[in-house]
Amino acid sequence: LKSCAVISRSAAVSLLFWKYIMKIKLSRRRKVILISAVLAVLFGLCIFLGTYYHADDTALAALVSDDDICVEQTSYGWLFDGANEDDLLIFYPGARVEASAYAPLCRQLAVSGFDVCLVEMPFRLSIFGKDKADDIVVEGYKHRYICGHSLGGVTAAAYADEHCDMIDGVVLLASYTATELDDGMKVVLVYGSQDGVMNKDRFDKCLDNVPDDRLLHIIDGGNHSQFGSYGLQHGDNEADIGMERQIDETVEVISEAFR
């Protein structure tokens, strides 16, 4: 349905553009070339936005409530409500990944002691929803953290930089920060040794943007894709460990960092 909405909006834009072009004094040939070029771009955009990594059955099963964790669908995405009422963690998904694919990780984080807000992004791209965390009620929590995977991490760090009075810590999964974070910000960086997607050169350069007391953890055998449950991402390497083990190690690192 969301892809259909994108196509419908693109069609409406194309119609308005067509009317505008008809008013411009150009030769018929130039108008045809211009219109064809714009339609090709719009068509390519629709294909790009409509092609994404889907949550698998494991992820969908993690969206079901049980005696330990209550999973509630919200206006911003999902809330994984655990027993702890002090610590909130906001999660930004990676680019072109269905947000629900991160349900297994978010569920385990809730089990470990966080209330976790999994945020759905417009067009599944966090750059279009950097301020989506504003939709989440954060009052009542003693500590508030934000976490993101891949592009979601870059965006989450940018949000934390602009809201350092509200966010106590940042978790970057196979990601980095393009903005310089405050020295008082607790920063945790986690990536897999088999990651074939993350730009390692860019990651190393951006380490100057995080405080010196940062926590950097490399998951031996982990890859880029297994922070979520959506299959192997294009360009990634096969992991030497299972997704469950990678998620468990990630949760353990995050929990110890913020306790």
Side-chain angles (χ1 to χ4, degrees):
L1 291 177
K2 291 183 179 179
S3 297
C4 291
V6 172
I7 294 173
S8 299
R9 286 193 289 268
S10 298
V13 171
S14 299
L15 181 59
L16 292 173
F17 181 79
W18 176 274
K19 292 180 179 180
Y20 175 74
I21 288 296
M22 290 300 101
K23 296 179 181 180
I24 299 178
K25 293 182 179 179
L26 293 174
S27 67
R28 182 177 180 180
R29 180 173 176 273
R30 290 184 176 180
K31 285 183 179 180
V32 170
I33 292 174
L34 183 57
I35 290 171
S36 298
V38 171
L39 290 178
V41 170
L42 289 173
F43 178 76
L45 182 61
C46 289
I47 295 298
F48 175 80
L49 295 176
T51 305
Y52 59 93
Y53 295 96
H54 295 260
D56 62 18
D57 290 341
T58 300
L60 297 179
L63 291 172
V64 179
S65 299
D66 59 19
D67 293 338
D68 298 319
I69 302 298
C70 176
V71 183
E72 177 185 351
Q73 191 157 17
T74 66
S75 59
Y76 58 78
W78 291 269
L79 168 65
F80 294 78
D81 190 2
N84 190 313
E85 297 181 355
D86 293 333
D87 301 314
L88 174 72
L89 188 143
I90 301 167
F91 193 96
Y92 279 13
R96 300 175 67 197
V97 178
E98 193 170 18
S100 54
Y102 296 94
L105 173 57
C106 291
R107 187 184 192 91
Q108 287 302 106
L109 285 166
V111 171
S112 74
F114 298 91
D115 277 356
V116 183
C117 300
L118 175 56
V119 181
E120 283 190 301
M121 291 295 175
F123 309 117
R124 302 177 189 87
L125 292 170
S126 59
I127 55 175
F128 295 124
K130 177 174 67 68
D131 295 324
K132 287 281 287 183
D134 289 343
D135 298 336
I136 299 170
V137 177
V138 298
E139 287 79 8
Y141 291 96
K142 292 182 179 179
H143 307 289
R144 296 170 290 274
Y145 310 104
I146 191 164
C147 174
H149 176 226
S150 198
L151 180 62
V154 178
T155 311
Y159 181 87
D161 180 52
E162 296 175 3
H163 300 80
C164 57
D165 58 328
M166 182 185 79
I167 301 297
D168 299 307
V170 179
V171 181
L172 303 176
L173 304 179
S175 186
Y176 51 83
T177 172
T179 57
E180 186 173 353
L181 297 177
D182 188 82
D183 286 338
M185 186 77 67
K186 179 69 174 180
V187 180
V188 178
L189 304 103
V190 183
Y191 70 89
S193 63
Q194 299 302 106
D195 194 317
V197 177
M198 184 182 74
N199 187 325
K200 187 60 168 55
D201 290 338
R202 181 67 173 166
F203 176 89
D204 291 338
K205 290 179 181 179
C206 287
L207 282 178
D208 291 337
N209 291 330
V210 298
D212 293 335
D213 62 347
R214 60 184 176 262
L215 171 60
L216 172 58
H217 181 84
I218 302 174
I219 300 175
D220 188 22
N223 67 0
H224 192 88
S225 309
Q226 287 189 160
F227 289 106
S229 188
Y230 56 88
L232 187 66
Q233 193 166 332
H234 178 71
D236 201 8
N237 298 313
E238 292 282 354
D240 294 332
I241 60 175
M243 185 190 72
E244 184 176 350
R245 179 177 167 186
Q246 181 163 339
I247 286 179
D248 286 346
E249 189 167 336
T250 302
V251 171
E252 182 179 353
V253 171
I254 296 172
S255 298
E256 290 182 358
F258 294 139
R259 290 294 182 271

